[in-house]
Amino acid sequence: MLKGDKVGLRARHDDDIPVLRAELYDDVVNAARAEAAPWRPITPGSKDPRLVVDDKEQGRVPFSVVELEGGTLVGTATLWGIDTHHRSAHVGLGLLPSSRGKGYGTDVVAVLCHYGFVVRGLHRLQIETLSDNTAMLRSAERNGFVREGVLRSSAWVMGEFLDEVVLGLLAQDWKPGTKG
């Protein structure tokens, strides 16, 4: 397990899947804001590609996020779009509604940075998020990510186009342990 100050990132367990599905992905609004595709229901018992882990896939590393004290599941985190030639990847996370506003997001981003830069030897990490996702923007910036641009009206979310913000962090600019 990778450990931060408040959370740990561990392998996905089978009993995590129903909780993550019910609290993150069955919520139409939450899923529509988090995914780059329209929400659709997934049949119970089917293999949901957002949650089932393929250990052979090299370009995506999904984690379950747990509290360090007690081990309670609080969300999911992913390093995705891993490009070994350009040594870059994207950061993504989703916290259960009951786990938001507790500083877990900032800690998850810090642990994913450690994983990306130290464990994987990447050069660049990138985050794309909706411009009104102040929690994610704050978590990214506290970990040293810099706003690189705005993709105007690039995301269709629940009947309207929203702007997305692109943030980046280079390995040489990363300062472990400084979460502002």
Side-chain angles (χ1 to χ4, degrees):
M1 177 174 7
L2 298 169
K3 294 182 180 179
D5 294 333
K6 299 179 178 188
V7 298
L9 275 55
R10 64 158 169 76
R12 177 81 32 86
H13 295 174
D14 287 340
D15 56 347
D16 296 344
I17 292 173
V19 175
L20 293 171
R21 178 180 283 163
E23 295 196 37
L24 287 178
Y25 297 112
D26 282 347
D27 178 333
V28 178
V29 174
N30 185 60
R33 291 180 56 81
E35 298 293 318
W39 178 86
R40 64 185 187 94
I42 302 292
T43 305
S46 68
K47 293 191 183 264
D48 185 337
R50 299 166 301 185
L51 296 171
V52 175
V53 176
D54 178 356
D55 288 326
K56 294 180 180 141
E57 184 181 352
Q58 296 298 310
R60 182 174 174 269
V61 181
F63 297 95
S64 286
V65 180
V66 296
E67 290 176 323
L68 285 179
E69 289 188 29
T72 302
L73 180 68
V74 298
T76 181
T78 309
L79 206 63
W80 62 276
I82 299 170
D83 182 327
T84 56
H85 177 71
H86 296 292
R87 294 179 46 207
S88 63
H90 300 260
V91 170
L93 67 100
L95 296 176
L96 303 180
S98 61
S99 301
R100 296 175 188 159
K102 299 179 179 181
Y104 294 154
T106 299
D107 204 30
V108 169
V109 172
V111 177
L112 285 173
C113 288
H114 173 82
Y115 179 71
F117 293 135
V118 176
V119 177
R120 298 295 298 248
L122 298 176
H123 173 69
R124 174 186 167 79
L125 295 176
Q126 181 170 311
I127 294 173
E128 301 88 10
T129 190
L130 297 175
S131 62
D132 64 354
N133 188 348
T134 55
M136 186 63 198
L137 292 168
R138 188 171 44 249
S139 293
E141 289 170 344
R142 285 181 175 163
N143 279 287
F145 281 80
V146 175
R147 291 184 194 216
E148 296 180 333
V150 175
L151 304 173
R152 297 179 308 134
S153 292
S154 62
W156 178 254
V157 179
M158 300 299 292
E160 66 179 321
F161 283 105
L162 299 176
D163 294 348
E164 289 180 283
V165 176
V166 177
L167 303 104
L169 179 61
L170 302 179
Q172 71 253 20
D173 298 332
W174 177 58
K175 295 177 179 73
T178 57
K179 291 177 238 156

